[in-house]
Amino acid sequence: MSFSSRSFAFAISVSVPCLVPVVAFAQDSQNVFSLPAQSLTSALTAFSRQTGVHVAFDANAANGLRSAPLYGKMDNLKALRRLLGKHAFKVEVSNPKNITLRAGASRKSTSSEADMVDNLTVRGSRHELRTKRNFAGVVDSITYDDASNLGGATSMAQLLTQLPGVTGIRNGDEPRYISVRGVSSDLNQTTLDGMTLASISDGGSIRRRVNMQNIPAEMTGEDDIYKTFTAEQDGGAIGAVINMNPRSAFDHDGLYKYINAYGIYGTEKGSAGANRIPGMSPHFGQGAKAVFSDRFGKHKEFGIMTSFRYQSRTRNTTKKWQEDSYNYYNTKGKILSPNDPSTPGWNGMTAPRYVDGGSYSNNLNSLGGAARLEWHPENSGFSASVMGYAYERWENSFMEHNEYLLDDTGIWNQTPTSGREYIYRARTIGRKDNWQMNTNGVLGNLSWHDNISTLKLRAGYTWEDYYNHEPYVTARVYPKETAKGAVYADYTINRENVANLVDIIDMNKLLNSGYAFQTVQQEYDRDHEGVTNVRLDYTRNLSPDFHGFGFASGFEWRSLNATNSSDQLWYKPGGSATSSMFIPDMQNPNGPFFDLTNFPWDKQTLDPAKSKNYTQLAYFRYQEQLFDGYVSLHYKWRNSQIIAGVRADSVNFNAFIPGTDSSSNPTGKIDKNRGGYINPLPSVTFVHEFPKNLILHAVYSQSVGRPQPTDLAQAAQYSCGDSQNTQPGDINCSLSRGNPNLMPRKAQNFDISLDKFFNRGRGVFSVAYFDKMIKHDIYTTRSTEIINDELTYVTQPRNANNSSLMGVEVSVVDKSIKGPWRQSFDINASGTWMRGRMTYQGVNVSYKLKQLTEQPSYVFNGSVTWHIPQIRGAVKASFSYSAKYLEGLNDDPTQMYGYGSQPSLDIGAWNDITDSLRLKYEVYNLAGSHTRMYYGEHLNRLEAKEDYGRSIYFELVYN
């Protein structure tokens, strides 16, 4: 008898999952099934237990396979075939009491072993592709895998940047937000189990973008980015609807355990541990993650899933600013007049006029967890869950910043890349931040279904709090240019024309030249946002296997409440700052620093009027109510489907802002502005499956981009004679204010895509074209009005001009590509080309831009995993590249700013030392790429460069 035959006989005779007691079976007998996707062995066990049907199968053939989900009332044979899905099993009904499953093809034991490598990853990938295949529109999905994902620091933002068309909007060395297909992260709709999340963005500002750096990836299972929209989805998205699905205890047969402990080494030292900065490690950090789940109850109808995370790591940074100002000398070392390289006599070498550098010492910490309790009673059609999560992320940051204006009266030892000049002015800046962000939520889900209908009620409350204490001190000095008082500095210039002071000839002389305080300030920021969300959805005849007419309908209510406040203490400047400064141990950047830890705040003189005014002007409160309802009609043929629907998007809001007088001083009263809008949002989706697994999607939809709360609620600030806000000439005054009359952006979205599935459903090649025409786009513009009999520049957000965006997206996913010697490869790669168009109103001129904000022209993302069973391990490389993109606009197009191209390469490896223990090794930013900021209409002038070094993780995983 062959080995496979013996295995089959043994499985039939003794395996409890394969053999169950025999009871009467009839072809037309029916049951109500509620079996989530799980291992095929456990699914067949549950099927046999419920129906009493004797099912025999080859345990080796079923090993590592997943069942399809099974819900609804149907006859047993149909249910079994649906449970098996596309697995290569032949169903043989020998008699009414017995069923035998025959494998379509025998598998060698070596192949079985290879297929079991990283089984969690393979199963997750199949589920991702099943979602892509079943959704009528365009969706990309990713599943976080405990054992195999790179991720000592994995957040949702890091995870999603592996998907097509996604750009990570960076915060330091990590992405904080994501832009999808070149659309600003403010115009995404982000949900957890369909519930909208509260989020406070940069610096405590209240915006639509969700800070995904605060959401740990291990809290969720599959995460989906929907790039086309039907009426069933929230209408407030132009970029994408991002839905994160909580992990489920029913993804596992029973007890599941995952523990990960790791150490971190950061290569960039900075000045942490030196320069009187206490409590920070120069290089080292540590962390731990854990996930536990189990099922309990008489029929295992209850499940509980918990996850936990702790991390503390060092992120040090050096930053160089490049001021667009230089000195040009003749061959005798005298400055040219005018100071321009076109002046005759120039010696051909450029000397810096400004030298600007900073060092940031950061310690980042996160702590928190999530828990989810589920109930899936047998044969009832009901399911329920309740979930809670709480995460805290806090950061201690010291900034040391020195800025030098070099004199133009002489130069010594000049070469094309170095020289020596006088220091005309030195300015030192010290800032300390204690950021703290708390992210919390409670979500509930109750659903019922039978074989044709589903009814789902979801409710949740999420909230986020932001705190920061920021001391900020600046001082400056003008050293005397006499023989005894002059301070010389040696500079170098690199290939990017960025200057650095490598030596100040007499640091003590500079420190004692008479530094005087310029700004002395403290801020205590407190911000809160809470979102209450309730939605009810009903569907009929919308199962992927059903044909004919079906529909979906539902409604949603959402309430958003946000408060922004800042207690500001401004002190009167001008006193001597020398006693609060010191010469550092690490001169990076070069120059004296403030001792902020021991700064004498009690000796500063408070400016009570200025403090009161700024505190009152910083306050606002915003309330928003959303009421949405939708109807979506579906009709499905054997190979085609059409969906037509409409969603009514209705919003009203109240904005509470401080009242101001004609001089922009707060009156102590709170003004209330009201507004609202309602928009019908139609959509049509067509999908057709051609032979050989080729699927066409064509979608038209309308969606909205809701205005930012900070655009709607902003205090008016009026000033005259301020050169920063006005221009020379007749216009001497400026007014900045919010605009409660803003209407939302309204987009018409056109999408068409082709998906070719291959490798037995483990691979897909996709090509997509998208085109968005955005009406009532919102930009901050400047106009001229007469206020108080004065010509005044009025700066405020307006519904100004229309924009457009189009692009092509290509991606390929192929899992378990067979290689020699039982090795296999997983490939996930994508490239997106985008072109945006908008007309922007500047100072008395209208100009056209060829890109939108946060829209690069090119994005490449992907990963390659090489599975090596001989070492029970694998090697994985993840890469991403985004071309330069605009971050902010300006009335003067030469002053627009943004980020340069950003390549990123991360690599990791792992190997199993036992069946339960795995070692992982990871290096982030292996190529050592820098973050660069540029300005100018074409982002062609370097403004600053940041270096974060590399991060190395050593992990021990128990799973």
Side-chain angles (χ1 to χ4, degrees):
M1 181 181 291
S2 69
F3 175 80
S4 59
S5 298
R6 290 196 303 269
S7 175
F8 182 74
F10 181 77
I12 292 179
S13 60
V14 302
S15 176
V16 173
C18 301
L19 297 179
V20 295
V22 177
V23 297
F25 172 82
Q27 290 293 330
D28 59 350
S29 61
Q30 291 191 341
N31 283 282
V32 177
F33 296 94
S34 179
L35 299 176
Q38 55 192 288
S39 71
L40 186 58
T41 300
S42 63
L44 291 172
T45 302
F47 174 88
S48 298
R49 184 186 299 114
Q50 180 173 340
T51 61
V53 177
H54 182 153
V55 181
F57 60 94
D58 187 340
N60 288 333
N63 195 16
L65 298 180
R66 297 281 287 176
S67 72
L70 183 63
Y71 294 102
K73 184 178 181 180
M74 65 194 78
D75 69 74
N76 294 334
L77 188 58
K78 180 180 179 181
L80 178 60
R81 286 174 172 152
R82 184 172 297 178
L83 191 72
L84 294 172
K86 296 184 179 297
H87 299 311
F89 284 100
K90 181 179 179 181
V91 179
E92 296 181 356
V93 184
S94 57
N95 60 64
K97 299 180 180 181
N98 295 277
I99 290 180
T100 301
L101 304 182
R102 301 284 184 185
S106 62
R107 299 190 303 170
K108 297 180 180 180
S109 59
T110 55
S111 299
S112 299
E113 182 181 350
D115 285 344
M116 287 302 293
V117 175
D118 282 331
N119 189 43
L120 283 175
T121 304
V122 173
R123 287 187 293 178
S125 301
R126 288 175 181 169
H127 193 244
E128 295 163 8
L129 296 185
R130 187 161 61 244
T131 300
K132 186 175 185 68
R133 182 166 191 143
N134 290 341
F135 182 61
V138 180
V139 63
D140 288 300
S141 305
I142 193 166
T143 300
Y144 178 78
D145 171 57
D146 292 320
S148 303
N149 266 55
L150 300 184
T154 301
S155 66
M156 282 306 308
Q158 287 175 301
L159 190 66
L160 294 175
T161 51
Q162 299 178 43
L163 293 177
V166 175
T167 304
I169 307 302
R170 303 182 72 85
N171 166 243
D173 60 344
E174 295 179 89
R176 175 176 286 181
Y177 313 102
I178 64 168
S179 165
V180 180
R181 288 182 166 180
V183 179
S184 169
S185 49
D186 285 315
L187 303 179
N188 294 329
Q189 175 67 18
T190 305
T191 60
L192 177 62
D193 194 22
M195 297 286 96
T196 297
L197 298 179
S199 181
I200 296 174
S201 54
D202 299 319
S205 60
I206 310 297
R207 299 176 66 175
R208 303 286 180 186
R209 57 180 62 187
V210 171
N211 188 343
M212 306 188 79
Q213 192 180 35
N214 294 342
I215 304 175
E218 69 270 9
M219 187 177 76
T220 67
E222 179 187 308
D223 305 296
D224 307 312
I225 296 184
Y226 294 94
K227 300 175 178 178
T228 62
F229 315 123
T230 62
E232 290 99 312
Q233 297 165 306
D234 190 288
I238 296 178
V241 174
I242 304 164
N243 185 52
M244 299 169 287
N245 297 286
R247 295 179 70 150
S248 171
F250 288 84
D251 290 338
H252 307 280
D253 297 334
L255 180 64
Y256 174 80
K257 304 178 292 295
Y258 163 77
I259 301 173
N260 183 348
Y262 54 91
I264 313 168
Y265 179 82
T267 61
E268 184 71 18
K269 183 176 182 180
S271 52
N275 294 1
R276 305 186 187 181
I277 297 178
M280 292 188 186
S281 169
H283 294 287
F284 290 98
Q286 65 281 329
K289 295 185 290 186
V291 178
F292 299 96
S293 78
D294 202 1
R295 294 167 58 184
F296 57 95
K298 182 178 180 181
H299 302 291
K300 301 293 184 180
E301 67 271 23
F302 293 99
I304 186 168
M305 169 71 70
T306 61
S307 61
F308 166 83
R309 163 174 289 206
Y310 159 75
Q311 180 177 276
S312 177
R313 75 181 184 99
T314 298
R315 186 188 70 193
N316 298 318
T317 314
T318 57
K319 185 171 182 177
K320 299 294 182 184
W321 285 269
Q322 176 55 47
E323 302 289 346
D324 196 11
S325 180
Y326 305 95
N327 287 328
Y328 302 97
Y329 294 90
N330 62 22
T331 55
K332 296 181 179 180
K334 300 297 182 181
I335 197 72
L336 297 179
S337 182
N339 186 13
D340 189 273
S342 62
T343 302
W346 178 41
N347 64 10
M349 295 180 287
T350 302
R353 181 171 175 81
Y354 281 96
V355 180
D356 209 350
S359 177
Y360 296 81
S361 300
N362 293 345
N363 179 250
L364 287 73
N365 304 271
S366 59
L367 178 67
R372 188 181 188 211
L373 179 64
E374 299 172 87
W375 176 57
H376 291 177
E378 282 190 337
N379 306 326
S380 68
F382 282 98
S383 64
S385 68
V386 61
M387 175 182 180
Y389 63 90
Y391 291 94
E392 182 176 337
R393 180 182 174 90
W394 66 97
E395 179 177 345
N396 298 318
S397 173
F398 284 81
M399 182 190 76
E400 302 164 324
H401 181 187
N402 277 307
E403 170 197 293
Y404 296 97
L405 175 60
L406 303 181
D407 206 346
D408 56 9
T409 57
I411 192 167
W412 296 265
N413 306 324
Q414 187 179 16
T415 74
T417 59
S418 64
R420 174 177 291 181
E421 292 181 285
Y422 282 119
I423 293 178
Y424 173 73
R425 185 190 71 202
R427 183 170 180 253
T428 294
I429 304 169
R431 190 185 75 194
K432 185 176 184 295
D433 287 280
N434 298 277
W435 290 293
Q436 180 180 334
M437 290 156 281
N438 298 329
T439 302
N440 312 272
V442 178
L443 308 175
N445 186 324
L446 175 64
S447 63
W448 168 87
H449 65 86
D450 60 15
N451 59 330
I452 59 173
S453 300
T454 63
L455 182 65
K456 180 177 289 189
L457 173 66
R458 285 171 284 184
Y461 178 67
T462 62
W463 68 100
E464 189 159 291
D465 293 287
Y466 170 90
Y467 308 93
N468 185 34
H469 173 219
E470 182 186 85
Y472 181 84
V473 184
T474 69
R476 62 184 175 186
V477 65
Y478 294 83
K480 296 179 181 179
E481 294 188 5
T482 62
K484 294 183 178 181
V487 180
Y488 299 91
D490 292 333
Y491 68 84
T492 59
I493 300 177
N494 66 15
R495 291 179 300 175
E496 296 175 299
N497 213 28
V498 176
N500 184 39
L501 287 192
V502 294
D503 188 27
I504 295 175
I505 304 307
D506 192 334
M507 189 78 75
N508 284 300
K509 183 186 290 187
L510 176 63
L511 179 60
N512 294 302
S513 296
Y515 274 95
F517 285 117
Q518 184 184 14
T519 303
V520 182
Q521 175 198 2
Q522 292 189 81
E523 290 188 19
Y524 295 84
D525 292 334
R526 297 183 304 277
D527 304 285
H528 172 82
E529 180 178 303
V531 174
T532 305
N533 203 177
V534 178
R535 59 180 297 179
L536 180 68
D537 299 273
Y538 175 76
T539 68
R540 184 171 179 84
N541 202 32
L542 294 188
S543 168
D545 295 332
F546 290 171
H547 295 155
F549 175 76
F551 73 92
S553 63
F555 79 91
E556 179 179 7
W557 169 76
R558 186 161 72 233
S559 174
L560 183 154
N561 285 274
T563 303
N564 183 91
S565 63
S566 176
D567 292 335
Q568 302 201 16
L569 302 176
W570 289 79
Y571 300 87
K572 295 181 179 180
S576 174
T578 303
S579 62
S580 300
M581 302 174 70
F582 68 99
I583 296 174
D585 298 321
M586 293 186 62
Q587 298 176 9
N588 182 25
N590 217 323
F593 296 148
F594 285 108
D595 184 1
L596 287 181
T597 304
N598 302 299
F599 190 80
W601 293 102
D602 56 337
K603 296 181 180 180
Q604 308 304 312
T605 302
L606 186 69
D607 187 335
K610 188 175 184 180
S611 300
K612 180 180 178 181
N613 282 0
Y614 278 94
T615 297
Q616 292 185 5
L617 288 172
Y619 172 85
F620 75 81
R621 184 180 180 190
Y622 179 79
Q623 297 176 330
E624 181 179 279
Q625 299 281 334
L626 175 143
F627 296 91
D628 272 10
Y630 73 90
V631 174
S632 181
L633 306 179
H634 298 235
Y635 196 87
K636 188 174 183 180
W637 297 269
R638 180 177 180 181
N639 297 313
S640 302
Q641 183 180 7
I642 188 168
I643 304 172
V646 64
R647 187 179 190 97
D649 184 79
S650 174
V651 171
N652 59 77
F653 65 85
N654 296 315
F656 302 88
I657 61 176
T660 56
D661 59 22
S662 59
S663 300
S664 192
N665 293 315
T667 62
K669 297 181 180 180
I670 299 296
D671 295 336
K672 180 179 179 180
N673 294 323
R674 297 181 178 180
Y677 48 84
I678 183 170
N679 285 289
L681 303 173
S683 61
V684 178
T685 300
F686 175 75
V687 58
H688 179 76
E689 182 170 356
F690 294 95
K692 298 185 179 181
N693 294 312
L694 183 64
I695 301 178
L696 169 71
H697 307 265
V699 185
Y700 167 77
S701 65
Q702 292 186 16
S703 58
V704 297
R706 302 186 181 103
Q708 304 304 317
T710 48
D711 287 342
L712 298 167
Q714 182 186 134
Q717 299 187 44
Y718 181 78
S719 63
C720 293
D722 186 347
S723 61
Q724 293 183 351
N725 297 319
T726 60
Q727 298 291 326
D730 296 332
I731 302 178
N732 191 46
C733 298
S734 69
L735 173 68
S736 64
R737 62 190 178 195
N739 186 354
N741 298 316
L742 284 176
M743 296 300 293
R745 299 170 175 91
K746 193 168 183 179
Q748 296 189 71
N749 311 293
F750 301 87
D751 297 85
I752 185 167
S753 68
L754 276 172
D755 299 331
K756 167 62 177 175
F757 289 87
F758 57 92
N759 192 11
R760 292 181 296 174
R762 295 180 180 180
V764 61
F765 175 78
S766 298
V767 179
Y769 168 81
F770 57 92
D771 196 338
K772 299 177 182 291
M773 295 184 290
I774 305 171
K775 186 179 180 181
H776 304 313
D777 216 340
I778 299 173
Y779 298 106
T780 299
T781 60
R782 187 157 75 179
S783 62
T784 303
E785 298 181 16
I786 297 178
I787 300 176
N788 298 331
D789 296 326
E790 292 274 3
L791 281 175
T792 303
Y793 279 130
V794 178
T795 304
Q796 68 177 150
R798 303 175 188 268
N799 290 116
N801 303 293
N802 299 336
S803 301
S804 64
L805 175 67
M806 57 85 68
V808 177
E809 190 174 83
V810 180
S811 65
V812 60
V813 176
D814 196 359
K815 304 293 184 179
S816 297
I817 304 172
K818 302 302 180 184
W821 303 294
R822 297 185 289 118
Q823 300 179 46
S824 64
F825 299 86
D826 300 339
I827 295 178
N828 173 18
S830 65
T832 306
W833 170 79
M834 294 161 285
R835 186 184 70 184
R837 291 288 186 270
M838 67 175 175
T839 303
Y840 183 73
Q841 189 67 39
V843 182
N844 299 324
V845 65
S846 178
Y847 54 93
K848 294 182 178 181
L849 297 177
K850 296 183 179 180
Q851 64 181 135
L852 310 183
T853 56
E854 296 186 6
Q855 179 249 302
S857 298
Y858 301 94
V859 174
F860 300 98
N861 295 323
S863 65
V864 178
T865 305
W866 175 20
H867 298 283
I868 312 172
Q870 288 83 356
I871 64 170
R872 301 183 67 183
V875 178
K876 180 176 182 178
S878 297
F879 59 91
S880 65
Y881 173 84
S882 64
K884 61 184 179 181
Y885 61 85
L886 283 169
E887 177 70 10
L889 303 176
N890 194 287
D891 294 327
D892 180 358
T894 65
Q895 299 301 312
M896 293 187 300
Y897 59 94
Y899 282 90
S901 60
Q902 182 70 51
S904 177
L905 174 63
D906 307 323
I907 191 167
W910 60 84
N911 66 283
D912 294 334
I913 54 178
T914 71
D915 289 341
S916 301
L917 292 178
R918 171 171 289 186
L919 293 176
K920 296 175 70 176
Y921 327 89
E922 303 170 18
V923 182
Y924 285 85
N925 191 25
L926 180 67
S929 61
H930 307 298
T931 300
R932 291 173 170 83
M933 283 71 75
Y934 289 84
Y935 65 103
E937 185 173 359
H938 303 290
L939 298 182
N940 55 351
R941 294 151 69 191
L942 181 66
E943 179 187 26
K945 181 176 72 171
E946 297 176 341
D947 185 5
Y948 294 91
R950 299 170 179 85
S951 296
I952 303 170
Y953 289 77
F954 303 91
E955 304 181 42
L956 177 62
V957 177
Y958 172 75
N959 186 216

